Amino acid sequence: DPDAVDPSEVWRLDRSRHTLQLLLGAHLQHIARLPNLTGEMHKDVVVPEVLKLCLGCEDPAGQASLLTCFVEVFPDDFHLHTLEQVLAACAQVQWIVDLRQLLQNFMRRLAARVREVSAAAGHSKTSSALGRSLRSVAEASGH
């Protein structure tokens, strides 16, 4: 069978994916910790480049891994300003990639951050409205 996969090749591919995930994760984490990284630099440089890499990846597991790592390592305040870009990229990943769990956790995290910031500023109405918006985006996404 020409489509049969040798089990030793599957192991090698999984090991390569894991190694790549560790390397990309370490690099993204390093970028996220740069002291001079601003929200504007994140939005204009980092997000477009990372999302381009993700969408250019032909391996569904690679796409999911890169998106997960990206969401986990950068601060919520940065994500709040790039939410539209990130969600647009999520809508473009390969259909086989299941992003439901990632998006649900991401939206919960952002909603919690919005509530925290709004409570500190005394704007609970804004917090609950934005929180509802974030939840509806998470629920409405096809992933």
Side-chain angles (χ1 to χ4, degrees):
D1 181 11
D3 293 330
V5 177
D6 180 5
S8 65
E9 291 301 313
V10 171
W11 177 83
R12 190 182 336 257
L13 181 59
D14 285 343
R15 185 171 179 175
S16 295
R17 282 181 181 152
H18 179 71
T19 302
L20 184 59
Q21 182 178 8
L22 291 175
L23 288 171
L24 284 170
H27 286 291
L28 287 175
Q29 201 165 44
H30 178 72
I31 292 169
R33 291 183 180 164
L34 289 172
N36 295 331
L37 181 65
T38 64
E40 187 175 319
M41 286 171 52
H42 174 76
K43 182 178 183 175
D44 296 341
V45 179
V46 175
V47 172
E49 288 300 317
V50 171
L51 296 180
K52 183 170 72 173
L53 281 173
C54 177
L55 295 176
C57 181
E58 294 180 12
D59 178 36
Q63 283 185 332
S65 177
L66 188 54
L67 272 173
T68 299
C69 185
F70 171 74
V71 164
E72 288 176 357
V73 301
F74 286 96
D76 294 339
D77 289 337
F78 283 178
H79 286 312
L80 285 171
H81 297 289
T82 59
L83 184 59
E84 192 173 309
Q85 289 171 279
V86 174
L87 292 177
C90 288
Q92 295 177 41
V93 298
Q94 294 186 34
W95 65 271
I96 198 166
V97 179
D98 185 0
L99 295 178
R100 277 181 291 206
Q101 190 66 44
L102 171 67
L103 288 173
Q104 288 171 356
N105 292 338
F106 186 44
M107 293 299 124
R108 276 190 215 110
R109 226 176 79 192
L110 293 180
R113 180 64 182 144
V114 167
R115 281 191 300 275
E116 180 183 307
V117 169
S118 294
H123 301 294
S124 60
K125 285 185 180 180
T126 302
S127 171
S128 61
L130 189 49
R132 281 192 305 276
S133 296
L134 290 172
R135 280 191 296 279
S136 68
V137 167
E139 292 167 1
S141 75
H143 289 14

